[in-house]
Amino acid sequence: MADDPVPAREPHRHGTREALLFGGVYGAVLASSMVAALSQYGHTSRGSRRYDAVWLLVTAFASALAHGYAHYIAERGDHRRGDALRTLAEEWPLVAAVLPTVLILAGAGWGWWPASGVEYAAFTLNIALLFALGLVTARWARRRWPVAVLVGAVDALLGVIVVVANALIK
């Protein structure tokens, strides 16, 4: 009797909805946290807002790369050519979730709106994004509206925690 070769296990692939929720929530919380950290010292010049936008983008890409790499090396078994790039590409929702905040900061840096106080608009946007992600994801999972609104509110609470922590730390 010949030994049957063990079939290679397929690496776990996140569905688009799962990746959207994970990356979106992570990205929105990351964006709020970075804005809180970068605006801690009260720098509100146009130049500092452009700097903040660049750092937020760099941090989002670094986080996506680290998260994708961690998924890749955590997968046991054989990897096919291109698996690493596919795993990294699956992290696009994280980067996409920070882009609205990058635009808010960059817009303040380019003079589209006042650079002072723009962090409050970024916080509000990210809290709304977190609420929307929770609501939409719960509805995709066929949760009833009251439950979906509650899930959205809990997701939004993550953003509120960042805002409250920012206020307490300052």
Side-chain angles (χ1 to χ4, degrees):
M1 184 176 207
D3 288 333
D4 290 330
V6 176
R9 190 174 64 108
E10 283 293 314
H12 174 69
R13 298 282 180 232
H14 296 289
T16 303
R17 290 179 179 177
E18 182 182 7
L20 182 63
L21 175 65
F22 287 155
V25 168
Y26 189 94
V29 171
L30 175 72
S32 290
S33 300
M34 285 295 298
V35 168
L38 291 169
S39 63
Q40 175 185 2
Y41 298 107
H43 301 290
T44 59
S45 70
R46 288 173 53 184
S48 68
R49 293 306 183 185
R50 287 191 303 270
Y51 173 87
D52 294 350
V54 170
W55 265 112
L56 177 55
L57 202 54
V58 167
T59 303
F61 276 110
S63 296
L65 286 172
H67 195 245
Y69 179 70
H71 275 290
Y72 178 75
I73 62 172
E75 300 281 335
R76 302 219 186 259
D78 296 330
H79 291 286
R80 292 176 291 190
R81 180 175 287 170
D83 278 351
L85 291 176
R86 275 189 289 282
T87 301
L88 293 175
E90 289 177 357
E91 299 300 323
W92 69 265
L94 189 157
V95 176
V98 303
L99 292 178
T101 305
V102 168
L103 184 62
I104 286 175
L105 294 171
W110 295 324
W112 294 351
W113 40 78
S116 179
V118 76
E119 64 270 16
Y120 302 110
F123 291 148
T124 302
L125 173 76
N126 286 309
I127 290 169
L129 178 60
L130 286 163
F131 177 79
L133 282 167
L135 179 76
V136 167
T137 303
R139 290 298 296 156
W140 279 342
R142 300 189 195 309
R143 303 283 193 265
R144 292 189 338 231
W145 277 103
V147 173
V149 170
L150 180 62
V151 170
V154 169
D155 277 6
L157 185 60
L158 294 170
V160 171
I161 289 170
V162 171
V163 172
V164 169
N166 181 50
L168 292 175
I169 291 170
K170 281 187 175 180

